[in-house]
Amino acid sequence: MKLTPTPLKDRVDGLDFLRGIALLGIFIANMLHFHSPYVYMDPYSWFTVPGEQSAFHFIDVFVEASFYPLFAMLFGYGINMQYEKSLRNGTPFAPFMARRMSWLLVFGVLHALLIWFGDILFTYALMGFIMIAVVRIPKKWLLSLAFVLYIVPAGLLYVFLVIARKINPNSLMDGFVDIQSIELAISAYAHGTFAEIFVFRMQEWLMFSVTGLITSVVSILPLMMIGAALSKWKIIERMYEMKGKLAVVMIIFISLGVFLKNVPFMDGPKFENIYLVQSTFGGAVLTIGYGALFLLLWQIPFLKIVTKPFATIGRMAFTTYILQSIIATLIFYSYGAGLYGKVDIITGTWLAIGIFFIQLIGAQIWLSKFRMGPLESIWRKLSYGKNFGIKEENV
């Protein structure tokens, strides 16, 4: 049988809705990196103005590391949907998905080198290749393996860091601020030529993203596996019959997630508290609670109508994500408005929200005329090897 795209009528609106919500959270978190050398700061001591402290606390607890896990899970959810579709239609899954991930890899490299070093597509593509084999595992084993892969390495690292701290309290360099890198980032992004920005951006990508691929196997991949397992259970498709379970998950996981994410503020911004207790464990736990909350909200008729634009923009998540990087870098980098290092955290957050809501409007207009976003169309054409077009079909 021939490979064909999923018809619009067969799309799962709840999945698109979650993608749209995740895009907003990710953009708010990414905005910290777009407008400042955030990665080289110690934000717990850097923001001293009361208003900025409160804004950072809110983002750190409720946004940072709590939406990219949702997107990773949805990525895995979608891969399993493609796998099950291939089984139903009797079409080859691995060759198609390999082409799809190969082109996503290309898009990721271009995004990282030409637009923004914080690209995630490159990592998603590489983990996607592994998912081609992993998605075939039965759902119970897949979920169990995902939890083991996610929890055990992080737990062992936490124990190691606690022991290291007891042996030498100064060994983990808590609160370290890389002043030299901050100055280099401001010099490049705020004042450099495009060529200078390209070189510095490539260095940052190699330093953070490429070297972080090793940890992605125990951080991003398990999240995709969890999403694939949930897809096998049809959690989103069955959300209306699972209201009670979703409510329990929402209460338990949001409560526990908020507690874990506040640990650096209660026990001090220690290295292990920030990167393990808060981000690795707290972020994922809060993500699951958020997912349950959003699925419950999606079932309320009035809210479903009000939040429908989030489902619409979720249909063109790829285009939206790349466009966010283009808009933000044009605002902050020297070849645009040159505001890098000149915007505070509150302004940056409202700017992210404002840009996103303009994107919401743009998505409604675009998808009223076309079947999918422009980058989705290109990616799909490359993946299927045919031009199915992006114009909406009358059905």
Side-chain angles (χ1 to χ4, degrees), residues 46-71:
W46 188 273
F47 300 113
T48 56
V49 179
E52 287 198 332
Q53 286 179 346
S54 300
F56 166 69
H57 188 178
F58 179 84
I59 294 173
D60 199 39
V61 172
F62 294 101
V63 181
E64 183 73 31
S66 293
F67 284 92
Y68 84 79
L70 177 59
F71 209 83

Side-chain angles (χ1 to χ4, degrees), residues 368-380:
S368 68
K369 299 180 179 179
F370 301 99
R371 185 178 186 273
M372 65 191 75
L375 287 182
E376 283 78 8
S377 175
I378 295 172
W379 189 24
R380 180 158 294 190

